Amino acid sequence: MTGRVGAVSRSATHTMSKPNQPVITLLAGLGVAGDAHAGITVRHRSRVARNPNQPNLRQVHLIHAELHEELRRSGFNVAPGQMGENITTEGIDLLGLPTGTRLRLGAEAVVEITGLRNPCKQLEGIQRGLMKAVLDRDEHGNLIRKAGVMGIVIAGGDVRPGDPITVELPPPPHRPLEPV
């Protein structure tokens, strides 16, 4: 499975939206250089409040551009980076990947998927109803989180819009993504 990078974003402060950039640099074991969420231990405020010493499994946030299209068809005006993602992907079913999948981004960078993003109420500040729009239910009533995936940086490198993405699945048995 292959895709491409649609946009890259970062913010040095804890803002919901992250401005698009021409390039971001991923740092092994840390995250996105210059992003408020980079670090070995958790950086998301709610997680720091609970336990500041837990490992940062949310170094990089990825959202599929196809979600933006789905939201536009439902009347939302959402652009890459606006929902807090660092990397907007195209052509990859991020939500269908198993835990531990590695994404090769561009020439050098590798991100390992750790789990699903649990959407937060800050999405309502972008547009009313957005939080509900990124949640769904399957035929059995199970909650489906559509707001992207989180990962850790295994190998650093620069990532730019247009860079290829190669998907490397972990060895079976595959574990479904859970919120992190």
Side-chain angles (χ1 to χ4, degrees):
M1 185 183 331
T2 60
R4 73 179 202 100
V5 174
V8 294
S9 312
R10 74 168 177 265
S11 176
T13 60
H14 287 277
T15 58
M16 171 53 82
S17 296
K18 297 177 186 270
N20 293 158
Q21 306 293 321
V23 61
I24 59 172
T25 301
L26 301 185
L27 304 172
L30 294 173
V32 179
D35 191 86
H37 296 107
I40 295 170
T41 56
V42 294
R43 294 293 187 254
H44 288 77
R45 290 186 212 163
S46 62
R47 305 205 183 254
V48 169
R50 279 186 251 155
N51 177 359
N53 300 313
Q54 59 186 308
N56 189 1
L57 301 178
R58 300 164 56 97
Q59 295 173 356
V60 182
H61 178 200
L62 301 98
I63 286 184
H64 46 297
E66 294 80 4
L67 175 63
H68 293 156
E69 289 302 316
E70 176 186 327
L71 292 169
R72 279 187 202 103
R73 288 191 303 272
S74 297
F76 294 93
N77 185 18
V78 180
Q82 196 171 11
M83 291 195 296
E85 73 269 26
N86 299 111
I87 300 172
T88 307
T89 66
E90 297 174 356
I92 296 176
D93 178 14
L94 291 177
L95 304 179
L97 298 174
T99 302
T101 297
R102 291 189 173 185
L103 302 176
R104 294 197 172 276
L105 304 148
E108 300 173 332
V110 178
V111 171
E112 184 174 300
I113 304 301
T114 55
L116 294 167
R117 176 196 187 189
N118 201 18
C120 69
K121 293 177 184 173
Q122 290 181 359
L123 291 172
E124 291 298 300
I126 296 170
Q127 192 171 347
R128 180 177 235 153
L130 186 56
M131 172 89 168
K132 185 177 179 184
V134 297
L135 296 171
D136 205 352
R137 298 269 177 191
D138 68 13
E139 64 276 3
H140 304 292
N142 299 311
L143 186 63
I144 299 172
R145 293 166 177 87
K146 301 188 288 186
V149 299
M150 306 304 284
I152 57 172
V153 181
I154 301 300
D158 290 343
V159 181
R160 295 173 175 80
D163 278 352
I165 302 172
T166 304
V167 176
E168 297 176 357
L169 297 175
H174 292 159
R175 293 179 298 128
L177 294 174
E178 297 289 332
V180 292

